[in-house]
Amino acid sequence: MKLSRNEAIQNLKDDTLWDVAIIGGGATGLGVAVDAASRGYKTILVEKYDFAKGTSSKSTKLVHGGVRYLANGDIKLVLGALHERGLLFKNAPHVSSTQSFVIPSYSFFNKMKFLIGLKLYDWMAGKLHIGKSVLLSKDEVVQKLPKINTTNLQGGVLYFDGQFDDARLAVNLAQTAASYGATIINYAEVNSIHKDLNGKVIGLSFIDRETNTAHRVKAKAVVNATGIFVDDILKLDTATHKNLVRPSQGAHIVVDKKFLGGRDALMIPETSDGRVLFGVPWHEHVLLGTTDTPINEHQIEPRPLEEEIEFILKTANQYLENAPTRADVKSIYAGLRPLAAPKDGDSNSTKEISRDHKLIKSDSNLITITGGKWTTYRKMGEDTVNMVAKVGNLPEVACKTKHLEIHGYTTEKTNTHWQVYGSDAIEIKKLIASDASLGQKIHPGFENVIAEIVWSCQNEMALHVEDFLSRRTRMLLLDAQAAKESAPLVAKVMAQTLGKDQAWIDHELSEFETLVKNYTL
């Protein structure tokens, strides 16, 4: 499915009445769009930035039930998430896979405690379970995690969870929604909510940030799915609105894969701040994270705090031999979780707040979906569209997404960078077959080639250098310096493909150079 922004803009007719207008193109909004469009509802989605620009491309890349939530007794959330994990594996196998995790244990009591908990975790997955948790001897732990600190090591536990490419899945969800007739537009900033004489929402207005053109959208229902920005939209609805969300920052650092030394991931269940810390192999690198830091302000490009970076490195040093230092960090990134704002008590405690989603209907009938996590995006979409149907008086249609194949679907697995494109990989390779120069590597340290730039512009609505280097490929998150070195070539090819001039190239490179500073120490 080709994502064409020009065609999407042409779909904006003044007399069109949409069944649902969705604000927000992250995991939640895109999930709502897929659900609504697949039910046959006339759907439009607008996103202020690029798809998954915010939190949805800054995750720990795990599709999981949440071992930590099980420890907190949040059985309902874990059961639901494990079910959704299984559905995601079936619906989007090209961007998701099983990942083995090892919990090293330095006491016999902890080893047995973790095994019992993870056996329960396995059992809760039911028919959608993906592996069996087992005890490991000390030697087996070292075999799987060659770089683990062996001082007082008693053995460990092996368990299985899921991994995925968050931004690639987001693009595929946009393509899926479009294939069912949805109109999907990035770089479209909502600036007002429209109401009828009874104060009920009947649409919205947005500015096309690529052309600075204003557009008005009439809709039977409007969904606010803007993550950490839900309060900004709610204030357009009600000027006196008090914030629902208190952001919590999760920071990550990315290092060379040699620091783990194998294919298994490391899970540290009890860090000094009470969080779980992961060391996860991902795209030939290793992600270390995440933190849990309450933040008073929300922003689209948060930067990991100095104390977060030190915490991750210090914790890694406790568990790994020859642990990474600041000099080994290839990239840093942070995402903001939209958590419920505390009403009383400890305003700085976020780790006890449930990650379950919340669905709210304002007096004006504006529907807001907040909270949740990537793993449960599909269920969040289903619940939201059920409410949309009632608010918009739409014909009742059953949810279709439980067994809906996501764009790119293929069960074939390749141990190459082409894997995340799924069935689209064949089409990109056809471009190279027609023009051998498109097979040139973008950067010597990565397998990505020029054909991918052309493809992302023509089929995935990539409009800026950042879109390609951060989300269509993941180079910025994997190696910020390599991304900076790749930017001139990417800008040149994008300009040729999109019909842009030298001034556009110069502006893009300046903007990207500023952005890269956020991802480097």
Short mmCIF file of all heavy atoms in Angstrom, two decimals, residues 2-50:
data_model
loop_
_atom_site.label_atom_id
_atom_site.label_comp_id
_atom_site.label_asym_id
_atom_site.label_seq_id
_atom_site.Cartn_x
_atom_site.Cartn_y
_atom_site.Cartn_z
N LYS A 2 0.65 2.11 -0.97
CA LYS A 2 1.42 3.33 -1.08
C LYS A 2 0.80 4.42 -0.20
O LYS A 2 -0.40 4.69 -0.29
CB LYS A 2 1.43 3.78 -2.54
CG LYS A 2 2.27 5.01 -2.82
CD LYS A 2 2.25 5.32 -4.31
CE LYS A 2 3.11 6.53 -4.64
NZ LYS A 2 3.11 6.83 -6.07
N LEU A 3 1.62 5.00 0.67
CA LEU A 3 1.16 6.14 1.46
C LEU A 3 1.48 7.40 0.67
O LEU A 3 2.65 7.80 0.58
CB LEU A 3 1.89 6.19 2.81
CG LEU A 3 1.30 5.46 4.01
CD1 LEU A 3 2.16 5.73 5.24
CD2 LEU A 3 -0.14 5.85 4.28
N SER A 4 0.48 8.03 0.10
CA SER A 4 0.71 9.24 -0.70
C SER A 4 0.10 10.44 0.02
O SER A 4 -1.12 10.52 0.18
CB SER A 4 0.08 9.09 -2.09
OG SER A 4 0.06 10.35 -2.74
N ARG A 5 0.94 11.36 0.42
CA ARG A 5 0.43 12.54 1.13
C ARG A 5 -0.36 13.45 0.20
O ARG A 5 -1.39 14.02 0.60
CB ARG A 5 1.59 13.31 1.77
CG ARG A 5 1.13 14.32 2.81
CD ARG A 5 2.33 14.91 3.55
NE ARG A 5 1.89 15.76 4.64
CZ ARG A 5 1.52 17.03 4.51
NH1 ARG A 5 1.51 17.59 3.30
NH2 ARG A 5 1.14 17.74 5.55
N ASN A 6 0.09 13.58 -1.04
CA ASN A 6 -0.64 14.42 -2.00
C ASN A 6 -2.07 13.92 -2.21
O ASN A 6 -3.03 14.70 -2.23
CB ASN A 6 0.09 14.48 -3.34
CG ASN A 6 1.37 15.29 -3.26
OD1 ASN A 6 1.52 16.13 -2.37
ND2 ASN A 6 2.29 15.06 -4.19
N GLU A 7 -2.21 12.59 -2.33
CA GLU A 7 -3.54 12.02 -2.51
C GLU A 7 -4.38 12.23 -1.26
O GLU A 7 -5.59 12.49 -1.34
CB GLU A 7 -3.44 10.53 -2.83
CG GLU A 7 -2.93 10.24 -4.24
CD GLU A 7 -2.79 8.75 -4.52
OE1 GLU A 7 -3.44 7.96 -3.80
OE2 GLU A 7 -2.03 8.40 -5.44
N ALA A 8 -3.74 12.11 -0.09
CA ALA A 8 -4.46 12.30 1.17
C ALA A 8 -5.00 13.73 1.27
O ALA A 8 -6.16 13.95 1.65
CB ALA A 8 -3.54 11.99 2.35
N ILE A 9 -4.17 14.70 0.91
CA ILE A 9 -4.61 16.11 0.95
C ILE A 9 -5.76 16.35 -0.02
O ILE A 9 -6.70 17.09 0.26
CB ILE A 9 -3.42 17.05 0.65
CG1 ILE A 9 -2.35 16.97 1.75
CG2 ILE A 9 -3.91 18.49 0.48
CD1 ILE A 9 -2.76 17.51 3.10
N GLN A 10 -5.70 15.68 -1.18
CA GLN A 10 -6.76 15.83 -2.18
C GLN A 10 -8.10 15.26 -1.71
O GLN A 10 -9.16 15.62 -2.22
CB GLN A 10 -6.34 15.17 -3.50
CG GLN A 10 -5.28 15.95 -4.25
CD GLN A 10 -4.64 15.15 -5.38
OE1 GLN A 10 -5.17 14.11 -5.79
NE2 GLN A 10 -3.51 15.62 -5.88
N ASN A 11 -8.05 14.36 -0.70
CA ASN A 11 -9.27 13.78 -0.14
C ASN A 11 -10.03 14.77 0.75
O ASN A 11 -11.14 14.48 1.18
CB ASN A 11 -8.96 12.53 0.68
CG ASN A 11 -8.56 11.35 -0.19
OD1 ASN A 11 -8.86 11.33 -1.38
ND2 ASN A 11 -7.88 10.38 0.40
N LEU A 12 -9.40 15.91 1.04
CA LEU A 12 -10.00 16.89 1.96
C LEU A 12 -10.97 17.79 1.20
O LEU A 12 -10.60 18.85 0.70
CB LEU A 12 -8.90 17.73 2.62
CG LEU A 12 -7.91 16.95 3.51
CD1 LEU A 12 -6.73 17.84 3.88
CD2 LEU A 12 -8.61 16.43 4.75
N LYS A 13 -12.20 17.35 1.13
CA LYS A 13 -13.25 18.15 0.48
C LYS A 13 -14.09 18.83 1.56
O LYS A 13 -14.41 18.22 2.59
CB LYS A 13 -14.14 17.26 -0.38
CG LYS A 13 -13.39 16.44 -1.44
CD LYS A 13 -12.92 17.32 -2.58
CE LYS A 13 -12.45 16.50 -3.77
NZ LYS A 13 -11.28 15.66 -3.52
N ASP A 14 -14.48 20.07 1.33
CA ASP A 14 -15.22 20.84 2.32
C ASP A 14 -16.53 20.18 2.74
O ASP A 14 -16.97 20.31 3.88
CB ASP A 14 -15.52 22.25 1.80
CG ASP A 14 -14.26 23.11 1.71
OD1 ASP A 14 -13.27 22.75 2.37
OD2 ASP A 14 -14.29 24.13 0.98
N ASP A 15 -17.16 19.47 1.82
CA ASP A 15 -18.47 18.89 2.14
C ASP A 15 -18.39 17.46 2.68
O ASP A 15 -19.42 16.84 2.93
CB ASP A 15 -19.36 18.92 0.90
CG ASP A 15 -18.74 18.17 -0.28
OD1 ASP A 15 -17.53 17.83 -0.19
OD2 ASP A 15 -19.45 17.93 -1.27
N THR A 16 -17.17 16.93 2.84
CA THR A 16 -17.03 15.55 3.34
C THR A 16 -17.36 15.49 4.83
O THR A 16 -16.88 16.30 5.62
CB THR A 16 -15.59 15.04 3.12
OG1 THR A 16 -15.29 15.05 1.73
CG2 THR A 16 -15.42 13.62 3.66
N LEU A 17 -18.18 14.51 5.20
CA LEU A 17 -18.46 14.25 6.62
C LEU A 17 -17.80 12.92 6.98
O LEU A 17 -18.20 11.86 6.48
CB LEU A 17 -19.97 14.19 6.87
CG LEU A 17 -20.38 13.86 8.31
CD1 LEU A 17 -19.85 14.91 9.29
CD2 LEU A 17 -21.90 13.74 8.42
N TRP A 18 -16.80 13.01 7.81
CA TRP A 18 -16.07 11.81 8.23
C TRP A 18 -16.78 11.14 9.40
O TRP A 18 -17.37 11.82 10.24
CB TRP A 18 -14.64 12.19 8.64
CG TRP A 18 -13.87 12.88 7.55
CD1 TRP A 18 -13.89 14.21 7.25
CD2 TRP A 18 -13.01 12.26 6.59
NE1 TRP A 18 -13.09 14.47 6.16
CE2 TRP A 18 -12.52 13.29 5.74
CE3 TRP A 18 -12.59 10.95 6.36
CZ2 TRP A 18 -11.65 13.05 4.68
CZ3 TRP A 18 -11.72 10.70 5.31
CH2 TRP A 18 -11.26 11.74 4.48
N ASP A 19 -16.70 9.83 9.45
CA ASP A 19 -17.25 9.12 10.62
C ASP A 19 -16.40 9.40 11.85
O ASP A 19 -16.93 9.60 12.94
CB ASP A 19 -17.29 7.60 10.36
CG ASP A 19 -18.35 7.23 9.35
OD1 ASP A 19 -19.39 7.93 9.28
OD2 ASP A 19 -18.16 6.23 8.61
N VAL A 20 -15.10 9.41 11.65
CA VAL A 20 -14.20 9.67 12.80
C VAL A 20 -12.96 10.41 12.33
O VAL A 20 -12.38 10.09 11.29
CB VAL A 20 -13.81 8.36 13.52
CG1 VAL A 20 -13.15 7.35 12.58
CG2 VAL A 20 -12.90 8.63 14.72
N ALA A 21 -12.57 11.43 13.10
CA ALA A 21 -11.31 12.15 12.89
C ALA A 21 -10.42 11.86 14.09
O ALA A 21 -10.83 12.06 15.25
CB ALA A 21 -11.56 13.65 12.76
N ILE A 22 -9.22 11.39 13.82
CA ILE A 22 -8.29 11.00 14.88
C ILE A 22 -7.13 11.99 14.92
O ILE A 22 -6.51 12.27 13.90
CB ILE A 22 -7.74 9.57 14.63
CG1 ILE A 22 -8.90 8.56 14.54
CG2 ILE A 22 -6.75 9.16 15.72
CD1 ILE A 22 -8.56 7.32 13.75
N ILE A 23 -6.86 12.50 16.10
CA ILE A 23 -5.72 13.40 16.29
C ILE A 23 -4.60 12.59 16.94
O ILE A 23 -4.75 12.10 18.06
CB ILE A 23 -6.08 14.59 17.20
CG1 ILE A 23 -7.39 15.26 16.74
CG2 ILE A 23 -4.95 15.60 17.25
CD1 ILE A 23 -7.93 16.28 17.75
N GLY A 24 -3.47 12.44 16.24
CA GLY A 24 -2.34 11.72 16.81
C GLY A 24 -1.96 10.50 15.99
O GLY A 24 -2.79 9.62 15.76
N GLY A 25 -0.70 10.48 15.52
CA GLY A 25 -0.24 9.38 14.67
C GLY A 25 0.84 8.54 15.32
O GLY A 25 1.79 8.11 14.67
N GLY A 26 0.70 8.30 16.64
CA GLY A 26 1.56 7.35 17.32
C GLY A 26 0.89 5.99 17.37
O GLY A 26 -0.07 5.73 16.63
N ALA A 27 1.37 5.13 18.24
CA ALA A 27 0.82 3.77 18.34
C ALA A 27 -0.69 3.78 18.54
O ALA A 27 -1.43 3.05 17.89
CB ALA A 27 1.50 3.03 19.49
N THR A 28 -1.16 4.64 19.45
CA THR A 28 -2.57 4.64 19.80
C THR A 28 -3.45 5.14 18.65
O THR A 28 -4.41 4.47 18.25
CB THR A 28 -2.81 5.51 21.05
OG1 THR A 28 -1.91 5.10 22.08
CG2 THR A 28 -4.23 5.37 21.55
N GLY A 29 -3.12 6.30 18.11
CA GLY A 29 -3.92 6.85 17.04
C GLY A 29 -3.95 5.96 15.81
O GLY A 29 -5.00 5.77 15.18
N LEU A 30 -2.80 5.40 15.46
CA LEU A 30 -2.72 4.52 14.29
C LEU A 30 -3.52 3.24 14.53
O LEU A 30 -4.17 2.73 13.62
CB LEU A 30 -1.27 4.20 13.96
CG LEU A 30 -0.46 5.40 13.42
CD1 LEU A 30 1.03 5.10 13.45
CD2 LEU A 30 -0.91 5.76 12.00
N GLY A 31 -3.49 2.74 15.77
CA GLY A 31 -4.30 1.57 16.11
C GLY A 31 -5.78 1.85 15.97
O GLY A 31 -6.55 1.01 15.48
N VAL A 32 -6.19 3.05 16.38
CA VAL A 32 -7.59 3.46 16.23
C VAL A 32 -7.95 3.55 14.75
O VAL A 32 -9.03 3.10 14.32
CB VAL A 32 -7.85 4.81 16.94
CG1 VAL A 32 -9.27 5.30 16.66
CG2 VAL A 32 -7.63 4.69 18.45
N ALA A 33 -7.06 4.12 13.96
CA ALA A 33 -7.32 4.29 12.52
C ALA A 33 -7.48 2.94 11.82
O ALA A 33 -8.38 2.76 10.99
CB ALA A 33 -6.20 5.09 11.87
N VAL A 34 -6.62 1.98 12.14
CA VAL A 34 -6.72 0.65 11.54
C VAL A 34 -8.05 0.00 11.92
O VAL A 34 -8.75 -0.57 11.07
CB VAL A 34 -5.54 -0.25 11.97
CG1 VAL A 34 -5.78 -1.70 11.54
CG2 VAL A 34 -4.23 0.26 11.37
N ASP A 35 -8.40 0.09 13.18
CA ASP A 35 -9.65 -0.52 13.65
C ASP A 35 -10.86 0.12 12.97
O ASP A 35 -11.74 -0.57 12.44
CB ASP A 35 -9.76 -0.41 15.17
CG ASP A 35 -10.89 -1.26 15.73
OD1 ASP A 35 -12.06 -0.99 15.41
OD2 ASP A 35 -10.60 -2.22 16.48
N ALA A 36 -10.90 1.47 12.98
CA ALA A 36 -12.05 2.17 12.41
C ALA A 36 -12.18 1.92 10.91
O ALA A 36 -13.27 1.61 10.40
CB ALA A 36 -11.93 3.67 12.68
N ALA A 37 -11.08 2.04 10.18
CA ALA A 37 -11.12 1.87 8.72
C ALA A 37 -11.49 0.44 8.34
O ALA A 37 -12.23 0.21 7.39
CB ALA A 37 -9.77 2.27 8.11
N SER A 38 -10.95 -0.54 9.09
CA SER A 38 -11.24 -1.94 8.76
C SER A 38 -12.70 -2.30 9.05
O SER A 38 -13.22 -3.27 8.51
CB SER A 38 -10.29 -2.88 9.51
OG SER A 38 -10.46 -2.77 10.92
N ARG A 39 -13.37 -1.52 9.89
CA ARG A 39 -14.81 -1.73 10.13
C ARG A 39 -15.66 -1.04 9.05
O ARG A 39 -16.88 -1.15 9.03
CB ARG A 39 -15.23 -1.19 11.49
CG ARG A 39 -14.64 -1.91 12.68
CD ARG A 39 -15.38 -1.57 13.96
NE ARG A 39 -14.53 -1.74 15.14
CZ ARG A 39 -14.98 -1.74 16.39
NH1 ARG A 39 -16.28 -1.57 16.62
NH2 ARG A 39 -14.15 -1.89 17.40
N GLY A 40 -14.98 -0.28 8.19
CA GLY A 40 -15.70 0.40 7.12
C GLY A 40 -16.10 1.82 7.44
O GLY A 40 -16.82 2.46 6.66
N TYR A 41 -15.64 2.36 8.57
CA TYR A 41 -15.95 3.73 8.92
C TYR A 41 -15.05 4.70 8.14
O TYR A 41 -13.86 4.42 7.94
CB TYR A 41 -15.78 3.96 10.42
CG TYR A 41 -16.66 3.10 11.30
CD1 TYR A 41 -16.22 2.64 12.53
CD2 TYR A 41 -17.96 2.76 10.89
CE1 TYR A 41 -17.02 1.87 13.35
CE2 TYR A 41 -18.77 1.98 11.70
CZ TYR A 41 -18.30 1.53 12.93
OH TYR A 41 -19.11 0.75 13.73
N LYS A 42 -15.62 5.82 7.71
CA LYS A 42 -14.85 6.81 6.94
C LYS A 42 -13.92 7.53 7.92
O LYS A 42 -14.37 8.27 8.79
CB LYS A 42 -15.78 7.79 6.25
CG LYS A 42 -15.08 8.67 5.22
CD LYS A 42 -16.09 9.41 4.37
CE LYS A 42 -15.39 10.26 3.29
NZ LYS A 42 -14.55 9.46 2.39
N THR A 43 -12.61 7.31 7.76
CA THR A 43 -11.62 7.65 8.78
C THR A 43 -10.57 8.63 8.26
O THR A 43 -10.04 8.44 7.17
CB THR A 43 -10.91 6.36 9.27
OG1 THR A 43 -11.90 5.44 9.75
CG2 THR A 43 -9.89 6.65 10.35
N ILE A 44 -10.27 9.64 9.09
CA ILE A 44 -9.13 10.52 8.80
C ILE A 44 -8.28 10.62 10.05
O ILE A 44 -8.79 10.67 11.17
CB ILE A 44 -9.59 11.92 8.32
CG1 ILE A 44 -8.36 12.79 7.97
CG2 ILE A 44 -10.47 12.62 9.36
CD1 ILE A 44 -8.71 14.09 7.26
N LEU A 45 -6.96 10.60 9.86
CA LEU A 45 -6.01 10.77 10.97
C LEU A 45 -5.04 11.89 10.61
O LEU A 45 -4.51 11.92 9.50
CB LEU A 45 -5.25 9.48 11.24
CG LEU A 45 -4.18 9.52 12.33
CD1 LEU A 45 -4.07 8.15 13.04
CD2 LEU A 45 -2.80 9.91 11.81
N VAL A 46 -4.83 12.81 11.55
CA VAL A 46 -3.84 13.87 11.36
C VAL A 46 -2.83 13.84 12.49
O VAL A 46 -3.17 13.63 13.65
CB VAL A 46 -4.51 15.27 11.27
CG1 VAL A 46 -5.29 15.40 9.98
CG2 VAL A 46 -5.43 15.53 12.46
N GLU A 47 -1.57 14.03 12.14
CA GLU A 47 -0.46 13.98 13.08
C GLU A 47 0.37 15.25 12.94
O GLU A 47 0.75 15.63 11.84
CB GLU A 47 0.40 12.74 12.81
CG GLU A 47 1.82 12.77 13.34
CD GLU A 47 1.91 12.97 14.85
OE1 GLU A 47 1.12 12.32 15.59
OE2 GLU A 47 2.77 13.76 15.29
N LYS A 48 0.65 15.90 14.05
CA LYS A 48 1.36 17.18 14.03
C LYS A 48 2.78 17.06 13.48
O LYS A 48 3.27 17.95 12.79
CB LYS A 48 1.40 17.75 15.45
CG LYS A 48 2.10 19.10 15.57
CD LYS A 48 2.04 19.60 17.01
CE LYS A 48 2.74 20.93 17.17
NZ LYS A 48 2.69 21.43 18.57
N TYR A 49 3.44 15.97 13.80
CA TYR A 49 4.82 15.74 13.35
C TYR A 49 4.83 14.58 12.36
O TYR A 49 4.00 14.51 11.47
CB TYR A 49 5.72 15.47 14.55
CG TYR A 49 5.71 16.57 15.59
CD1 TYR A 49 4.97 16.43 16.76
CD2 TYR A 49 6.43 17.75 15.41
CE1 TYR A 49 4.95 17.44 17.72
CE2 TYR A 49 6.42 18.77 16.35
CZ TYR A 49 5.68 18.60 17.51
OH TYR A 49 5.66 19.61 18.45
N ASP A 50 5.75 13.67 12.51
CA ASP A 50 5.77 12.46 11.69
C ASP A 50 5.18 11.32 12.51
O ASP A 50 5.11 11.39 13.74
CB ASP A 50 7.22 12.14 11.28
CG ASP A 50 7.32 10.96 10.34
OD1 ASP A 50 6.39 10.75 9.54
OD2 ASP A 50 8.33 10.23 10.41
#
